[in-house]
Amino acid sequence: MKAMELVGEKWIEIVTCLVISTTLMRSVSGSESECIFPAIFNLGDSNSDTGGLSAAFGQAPPPNGITYFHSPNGRFSDGRLIIDFIAESSGLAYLRAYLDSVASNFTHGANFATAGSTVRPQNTTISQSGYSPISLDVQFVQFSDFKTRSKLVRQQGGVFKELLPKEEYFSQALYTFDIGQNDLTAGYKLNFTTEQVKAYIPDVLGQFSNVIKGVYGEGGRSFWIHNTGPLGCLPYMLDRYPMKPTQMDEFGCAKPFNEVAQYFNRKLKEVVEQLRKELPGAAITYVDVYTVKYTLISHAQKYGFEQGVIACCGHGGKYNFNNTERCGATKRVNGTEIVIANSCKDPSVRIIWDGIHYTEAANKWIFQQIVNGSFSDPPHSLKRACYGKSIRRHKFQLL
Ligand SMILES: *[C@@H]1O[C@H](CO)[C@@H](O)[C@H](O)[C@H]1NC(C)=O
Ligand SMILES: *[C@@H]1O[C@H](CO)[C@@H](O)[C@H](O)[C@H]1NC(C)=O
Ligand SMILES: *[C@@H]1O[C@H](CO)[C@@H](O)[C@H](O)[C@H]1NC(C)=O
Ligand SMILES: *[C@@H]1O[C@H](CO)[C@@H](O)[C@H](O)[C@H]1NC(C)=O
Ligand SMILES: *[C@@H]1O[C@H](CO)[C@@H](O)[C@H](O)[C@H]1NC(C)=O
Ligand SMILES: *[C@@H]1O[C@H](CO)[C@@H](O)[C@H](O)[C@H]1NC(C)=O
């Protein structure tokens, strides 16, 4: 009897061991190990604006949206942006702009990005310089207010419960950032030299860092931070600041602007490393979007694209881009309004949409490169961007 009991106990032990180890294995390799992000909160500029600037300052004109939404949809692209693919792959609906008061459902997150946003507040109005007054510090204030008021308003019940995120979503959510490009161009617009632009980058990144800390202070834990893209490959820079042939690379990009973007990115990476030390509870993923975008532009044909740096939607000039007649610009001819800066025939094989932003096809390609963590530091995929913090949560549930 005693022996049987022992055998029985051993057996139970073995079975328990097996159960635990298969559960652990499933947790590590199976779908259960994936982070569960019930919401995404995005802060940034036009690279991830899904309607903020449009809601506040007027809709992006047609042919924006032509490919996917079939009408303007607050995005500066023919279709979806990287943030849309991030939402899709997380099983969430596309993010609505926080500023969009019409028919917005924020249960699964909100987008605070606006086109033309900078990290640092600019000392000019949008009509003077084109930069959005909704700089990153303002986006953080809006986020913080959104969080506070969501909690209060949800308590009222009714429809509000079905429009705003649950309180716990704010700590479980993925926080995505794509901003900095406009801080670089803002200096050039003031006729700063590249050295002068570089000199203020630490201030820009200091303010960026403060916002990450602010979100952490509000309970955010998982961060997904895009670095800035190859500015020197974009027609709006190439057209505005013509370079000497020696300053151009073999793919038609302006080296000084790309060098300043890479300098920004090196410093951003340092800031992220510092943040990891200061915020031990945070999972911060740095995503090298620069390399992906530059690889695409420099090897367009190889990846099934045409015309590296030439805008698809635009009019005239060397790059099919004219700053005074941007994508969607119209002209009155014999009493009728006609679009003079229209879309190219097939945006699905083009990289640059309007001289500043990328096409949906390019955004999708870029997303596919970054989603599996190949360009991330640490090399976690999007589904692991919580660094296993949700995995542990899940494991406890399983055991
Ligand atoms: C705006 O002006 C303030 C006060 O002079 C200055 O501290 C700040 O750096 C300026 N911002 C930018 C983006 O130049
Ligand atoms: C908002 O979206 C969520 C799903 O993300 C859904 O459950 C909810 O019913 C929606 N709210 C309204 C008012 O339609
Ligand atoms: C920058 O230089 C251009 C060309 O010389 C000039 O037209 C413009 O007014 C200058 N901008 C500023 C802000 O000084
Ligand atoms: C850009 O557009 C303006 C205004 O229509 C025009 O005067 C100018 O010649 C155009 N530039 C080029 C390079 O086509
Ligand atoms: C505008 O109308 C005039 C007179 O009817 C005509 O000669 C001209 O070709 C028209 N222009 C365009 C661009 O249709
Ligand atoms: C990530 O995905 C890209 C695009 O599908 C692929 O080329 C690459 O090999 C993948 N990397 C890893 C580490 O799986």
Side-chain angles (χ1 to χ4, degrees):
M1 201 57 197
K2 196 118 215 194
M4 274 302 285
E5 257 176 37
L6 268 175
V7 170
E9 269 172 29
K10 258 275 175 328
W11 189 77
I12 288 166
E13 228 172 47
I14 289 163
V15 168
T16 312
C17 259
L18 275 172
V19 169
I20 290 172
S21 56
T22 45
T23 310
L24 282 175
M25 269 169 63
R26 282 220 317 275
S27 295
V28 172
S29 61
S31 62
E32 276 131 336
S33 65
E34 292 171 359
C35 311
I36 298 152
F37 298 121
I40 296 174
F41 298 101
N42 180 69
L43 291 83
D45 58 25
S46 57
N47 289 300
S48 61
D49 180 2
T50 58
L53 195 81
S54 286
F57 294 101
Q59 294 293 321
N64 284 296
I66 192 172
T67 297
Y68 186 77
F69 301 101
H70 308 299
S71 64
N73 208 279
R75 290 156 176 81
F76 292 89
S77 179
D78 59 316
R80 289 164 291 179
L81 311 181
I82 298 172
I83 188 65
D84 293 314
F85 294 112
I86 289 177
E88 242 179 55
S89 86
S90 305
L92 301 173
Y94 300 136
L95 297 187
R96 296 296 300 250
Y98 166 75
L99 293 173
D100 196 346
S101 55
V102 181
S104 287
N105 183 340
F106 299 117
T107 49
H108 59 284
N111 193 351
F112 300 89
T114 70
S117 286
T118 46
V119 173
R120 296 197 303 176
Q122 299 299 302
N123 292 320
T124 52
T125 66
I126 188 168
S127 58
Q128 287 167 329
S129 64
Y131 292 107
S132 167
I134 302 154
S135 44
L136 190 61
D137 56 322
V138 179
Q139 293 180 29
F140 173 68
V141 168
Q142 293 180 340
F143 161 72
S144 177
D145 190 52
F146 174 76
K147 183 179 168 251
T148 307
R149 287 166 63 229
S150 287
K151 186 180 169 187
L152 292 174
V153 172
R154 273 190 108 250
Q155 284 164 2
Q156 295 175 19
V159 71
F160 300 113
K161 263 190 125 139
E162 282 181 47
L163 289 173
L164 296 165
K166 291 182 185 160
E167 195 179 351
E168 62 268 28
Y169 284 10
F170 288 95
S171 58
Q172 297 167 356
L174 181 68
Y175 289 84
T176 52
F177 292 80
D178 192 327
I179 195 160
Q181 181 174 325
N182 295 320
D183 289 278
L184 302 181
T185 65
Y188 288 111
K189 245 188 176 165
L190 294 168
N191 295 332
F192 282 19
T193 64
T194 290
E195 284 317 306
Q196 288 172 313
V197 171
K198 278 181 169 176
Y200 68 67
I201 287 175
D203 185 33
V204 172
L205 290 171
Q207 297 192 29
F208 176 82
S209 176
N210 286 341
V211 169
I212 301 287
K213 288 178 193 166
V215 172
Y216 186 87
E218 295 279 357
R221 288 298 175 265
S222 299
F223 297 85
W224 180 266
I225 299 172
H226 290 179
N227 69 6
T228 199
L231 189 60
C233 301
L234 298 177
Y236 81 127
M237 295 302 284
L238 295 166
D239 179 72
R240 192 184 173 113
Y241 309 101
M243 295 271 157
K244 296 190 199 93
T246 52
Q247 293 173 303
M248 301 297 287
D249 71 14
E250 56 186 306
F251 309 110
C253 302
K255 287 193 272 191
F257 298 135
N258 280 351
E259 278 160 17
V260 92
Q262 286 173 293
Y263 178 82
F264 176 91
N265 290 341
R266 279 197 299 279
K267 295 282 169 199
L268 173 63
K269 205 165 178 202
E270 286 171 21
V271 163
V272 166
E273 280 155 15
Q274 183 59 32
L275 282 166
R276 288 192 188 115
K277 286 183 198 143
E278 290 178 42
L279 312 174
I284 312 178
T285 308
Y286 169 93
V287 188
D288 184 11
V289 169
Y290 179 99
T291 298
V292 178
K293 287 180 172 173
Y294 189 71
T295 301
L296 179 59
I297 289 166
S298 58
H299 297 82
Q301 266 93 2
K302 181 176 168 192
Y303 298 115
F305 289 84
E306 296 167 3
Q307 317 242 29
V309 299
I310 311 295
C312 159
C313 181
H315 178 68
K318 201 172 159 192
Y319 301 98
N320 195 35
F321 175 86
N322 183 330
N323 200 40
T324 55
E325 294 170 342
R326 286 188 183 182
C327 176
T330 57
K331 202 174 183 172
R332 219 163 233 294
V333 178
N334 285 352
T336 34
E337 201 84 21
I338 58 155
V339 179
I340 50 163
N342 224 325
S343 171
C344 60
K345 254 212 191 98
D346 189 1
S348 76
V349 294
R350 298 290 285 272
I351 299 169
I352 308 293
W353 167 241
D354 57 2
I356 306 170
H357 309 100
Y358 291 74
T359 59
E360 168 173 297
N363 286 329
K364 189 171 192 173
W365 191 88
I366 296 158
F367 169 76
Q368 284 165 350
Q369 301 300 308
I370 63 173
V371 67
N372 63 12
S374 296
F375 294 90
S376 294
D377 172 59
H380 288 310
S381 67
L382 180 64
K383 295 227 183 302
R384 304 270 194 278
C386 60
Y387 281 26
K389 291 185 169 73
S390 299
I391 297 175
R392 269 204 298 282
R393 236 193 340 259
H394 214 100
K395 237 158 43 187
F396 285 135
Q397 277 168 15
L398 282 172
L399 293 171

